[in-house]
Amino acid sequence: MEVSTEEKILNAAKEVFTQKGFAATRMQEIADVAGINKGLLHYYFRNKNKLFRAVFDEAFSQFALRVNEVFAADMPLFEKIEAFVSQYMDILIANPALPSFVINELNQKGDAFVQDLMNRKNKPNPLPLIGQVQMEIQAGRIRAVNPFHLVLNMLSMCAFPFIARPLFQAIAQVDDETYLKLMESRKQEIIDFIHSAIRV
Amino acid sequence: MEVSTEEKILNAAKEVFTQKGFAATRMQEIADVAGINKGLLHYYFRNKNKLFRAVFDEAFSQFALRVNEVFAADMPLFEKIEAFVSQYMDILIANPALPSFVINELNQKGDAFVQDLMNRKNKPNPLPLIGQVQMEIQAGRIRAVNPFHLVLNMLSMCAFPFIARPLFQAIAQVDDETYLKLMESRKQEIIDFIHSAIRV
DNA sequence: GTCTATAGGTAGATAGAC
DNA sequence: GTCTATCTACCTATAGAC
């Protein structure tokens, strides 16, 4: 064990907050998971809100930043879609509980929280990709789809199976490992689906 | 006002629970929204958990039941997809906060809660639709897509924009009314998208 | 059925010894 | 930096008057 106490707390907090959400999380439980004393949580992070922000901001960045990178890259459209879906699904497979956590808190914390987040962080920016789609349509190389909805479709198909995972997993009656393998094979399925949908 | 106290409580509980989630909801706030005394909540529903179950079960049914109806209907595949997307989006537009509430609690309450729900309620059953897709593929009338992923794609594109609504709405910088109108026009967009994706 | 008052328990946060 | 003990506030739930 060479991890600092601060790291132990952050790891434990990430685990408990992502599973239970802000309101249902108990500082005592974070301390238990971290294997340290409850008082130390306040020594390092002052209060529950600040500890939460530390966990949430990191989780949110992990999504927003990667999105912008790929969206703004200099690549042909089909390659870009393929690269995005592949990379984004990899992030989700590695962190299957994160999307529901982030979406969750955004829903519950209210508009002020979301606005504050948008000002503070560089927000996800789909405009480069949307512009590229428009150009391809004008050039007649893809079908005339609404670019906004196309991006929304792509994001939906990637993220939703993770957010609604308990439901789908219960319906399909498969264990965790099998479900994640399904998500692995889903990458190519989404890419093909989008490709077929927008080809002329 | 001819609504019974019990109904007033249920309406208020639905509003507060869906907005804040189980853990962050205060019985006092439900009483305030309902305009009644806090003690009455316990008189009618005994405790917070039972009141929650009353709200949750109704919300969950609203989704699961309608899904099964359309999935099992005797219709050609394309018509069925069109009918499903149209009807499902209508439910979502009328209850934009419900999907995130349901998904949310399913994520946080743990496996026991989900299992209990699956035994108690007739769970969503995609098999009729999946079987129909397989037949169309064998008949060569649509492209050979994985039926499971096709259903998942359809559900994702419908539901995700509502679950991730605060995020998308903040990015698109539109007000509530505009966003819901976007969802209205999205119905046809999804139908066309799926149609193009699976046509031979 | 509806209200007030309060019991009983728990959670976040602080004080202070080591 | 880390621990124990405790304060204060709040929340669910109940008891009991009306």
Side-chain angles (χ1 to χ4, degrees):
Chain A
M1 281 292 221
E2 310 127 40
V3 280
S4 65
T5 301
E6 189 169 344
E7 268 180 298
K8 277 194 241 173
I9 293 174
L10 276 173
N11 289 335
K14 183 177 171 180
E15 186 183 327
V16 181
F17 274 133
T18 50
Q19 249 176 35
K20 310 210 162 176
F22 176 80
T25 289
R26 304 289 159 243
M27 296 293 269
Q28 184 62 61
E29 188 173 354
I30 295 176
D32 292 345
V33 171
I36 52 118
N37 188 277
K38 188 170 67 125
L40 288 178
L41 299 181
H42 293 91
Y43 177 81
Y44 281 98
F45 292 92
R46 252 178 69 93
N47 59 37
K48 189 181 173 183
N49 257 304
K50 290 210 166 49
L51 177 54
F52 173 79
R53 285 300 302 223
V55 171
F56 182 88
D57 287 357
E58 198 215 326
F60 187 77
S61 303
Q62 208 162 358
F63 285 80
L65 295 182
R66 294 284 189 104
V67 171
N68 286 348
E69 271 177 36
V70 182
F71 277 12
D74 184 21
M75 292 169 89
L77 180 62
F78 280 130
E79 284 180 39
K80 190 182 279 194
I81 290 173
E82 195 168 337
F84 173 80
V85 172
S86 181
Q87 287 179 36
Y88 203 60
M89 290 290 283
D90 281 340
I91 298 177
L92 294 171
I93 289 168
N95 307 282
L98 275 197
S100 59
F101 167 64
V102 172
I103 290 297
N104 223 322
E105 301 297 338
L106 287 179
N107 268 302
Q108 290 177 8
K109 292 265 177 180
D111 289 347
F113 183 82
V114 178
Q115 286 308 320
D116 180 52
L117 192 73
M118 288 295 156
N119 295 334
R120 190 178 298 218
K121 294 275 173 183
N122 42 357
K123 64 173 165 180
N125 179 17
L127 287 183
L129 180 56
I130 287 179
Q132 192 172 1
V133 171
Q134 283 170 329
M135 280 174 58
E136 293 293 301
I137 292 173
Q138 276 167 2
R141 284 192 288 269
I142 64 169
R143 200 168 63 81
V145 292
N146 180 313
F148 172 79
H149 287 297
L150 174 60
V151 175
L152 203 43
N153 289 346
M154 183 172 68
L155 290 170
S156 300
M157 289 189 284
C158 288
F160 188 67
F162 290 89
I163 292 180
R165 178 179 165 190
L167 190 61
F168 287 125
Q169 204 169 325
I171 291 172
Q173 293 186 316
V174 295
D175 59 20
D176 289 8
E177 199 191 356
T178 308
Y179 193 77
L180 290 183
K181 272 185 186 150
L182 258 171
M183 292 303 109
E184 187 65 43
S185 68
R186 184 168 167 74
K187 284 197 281 198
Q188 194 57 46
E189 200 73 30
I190 294 175
I191 292 167
D192 293 345
F193 196 81
I194 297 176
H195 187 276
S196 298
I198 65 178
R199 87 205 137 151
V200 284
Chain B
M1 282 291 222
E2 310 126 42
V3 280
S4 66
T5 301
E6 189 168 345
E7 267 181 297
K8 277 195 240 172
I9 293 174
L10 275 173
N11 289 335
K14 183 178 171 181
E15 186 182 327
V16 181
F17 274 133
T18 48
Q19 250 175 32
K20 310 210 163 176
F22 176 80
T25 289
R26 303 291 158 240
M27 295 294 266
Q28 184 61 63
E29 188 173 355
I30 294 176
D32 292 345
V33 171
I36 51 118
N37 187 277
K38 188 169 65 129
L40 288 177
L41 299 181
H42 293 91
Y43 177 80
Y44 281 97
F45 293 92
R46 253 179 69 92
N47 59 39
K48 188 180 174 184
N49 256 305
K50 290 210 166 49
L51 178 53
F52 173 79
R53 284 301 299 225
V55 171
F56 182 88
D57 287 355
E58 198 215 326
F60 186 77
S61 302
Q62 206 161 2
F63 286 80
L65 296 182
R66 295 285 189 104
V67 171
N68 286 348
E69 271 177 38
V70 182
F71 277 11
D74 184 21
M75 292 170 89
L77 180 62
F78 280 130
E79 284 180 37
K80 190 182 281 194
I81 290 174
E82 195 168 335
F84 173 80
V85 172
S86 181
Q87 288 179 34
Y88 203 58
M89 289 291 282
D90 281 339
I91 299 177
L92 294 171
I93 290 168
N95 307 280
L98 274 196
S100 59
F101 167 64
V102 172
I103 289 298
N104 222 324
E105 301 297 339
L106 287 179
N107 268 302
Q108 290 177 9
K109 291 266 178 178
D111 289 346
F113 183 81
V114 178
Q115 286 307 320
D116 180 52
L117 192 73
M118 288 295 156
N119 296 333
R120 191 180 298 222
K121 294 276 172 185
N122 41 359
K123 64 173 166 180
N125 178 17
L127 287 182
L129 180 55
I130 286 178
Q132 193 172 1
V133 171
Q134 283 169 330
M135 280 174 58
E136 294 293 302
I137 292 172
Q138 277 167 2
R141 284 193 288 270
I142 63 169
R143 199 168 63 81
V145 292
N146 181 315
F148 172 80
H149 287 297
L150 174 60
V151 175
L152 202 44
N153 289 345
M154 184 172 68
L155 290 170
S156 300
M157 289 189 284
C158 288
F160 188 67
F162 290 89
I163 293 181
R165 178 178 164 189
L167 190 60
F168 286 125
Q169 204 169 325
I171 291 172
Q173 292 187 317
V174 294
D175 59 20
D176 290 6
E177 199 191 356
T178 309
Y179 193 77
L180 289 183
K181 273 186 186 146
L182 258 170
M183 293 301 110
E184 188 65 42
S185 67
R186 183 168 168 73
K187 284 195 280 197
Q188 194 57 47
E189 200 73 30
I190 294 175
I191 292 167
D192 294 344
F193 196 82
I194 296 176
H195 188 275
S196 299
I198 65 178
R199 86 203 139 157
V200 284

